[in-house]
Amino acid sequence: MSRAGYARRVVVVGLAVLLAACASVPRRSVDQGAALAALAQREAQAAAEPDWQFSGRIAVSAEGRGGSGSIDWQQRGDDLAIRVSAPVTRRSWRLSRVDGWTRLEGLEQGPAQGPDAEQLLREQVGWEVPLAQMSQWVRGLRARGEARVSFAADGLPARIEQGGWRVDYRGWDRFAGQSVPRKVFASRGGASVRLAIDRWQAPAGASLP
């Protein structure tokens, strides 16, 4: 056998061994039932601890409009306070909801108020953000209503599909002994909301400032 023929034979045998080895490595599957049970347990614990906050970065786009900046989100049950600062435009606004009433500050024309936080944000800033659902999704939980959940190999949600939105999780951290998302990408049609969470924090107090 020539040297060239011998070399080809070595390559073929090597590839066969490599393929056999790859085929023999079992793929790690996810126990869907166990993953759903663990998710339900996390949701029950979150319901008992409704106060939380985080800081990070946000990028929003919808129908050619959008923006980005740093974000601080404080949640106290159904009440919330969200502050967004855009370094490019050097502008910031603050959305607060207390006892079901919403106030949006930082607008050129002065503060705006109303009962619907999502509508207020959409009309005044042009941002399409499903705030009610996002307060759950950002913690890796399902919002109210039907949802389809895909899990990663570690048993944590990789994707939640709900209300026409697709929410992808691109990494997780640990905070206070719990798994918390690090990157959350939500999209529906031409609308998208991307969150990169830099720091989860313990609640600062029982009420919002």
Side-chain angles (χ1 to χ4, degrees), residues 8 14 48 55 86 101 122 139 154 176 191:
R8 284 195 297 270
S55 58
W101 190 254
R122 181 170 54 252
R139 293 181 289 165
D154 56 7

Side-chain angles (χ1 to χ4, degrees), residues 69-87:
S70 61
I71 181 172
D72 292 289
W73 185 320
Q74 300 179 52
Q75 190 87 21
R76 303 292 180 271
D78 292 330
D79 296 342
L80 61 80
I82 301 174
R83 181 182 296 276
V84 174
S85 300

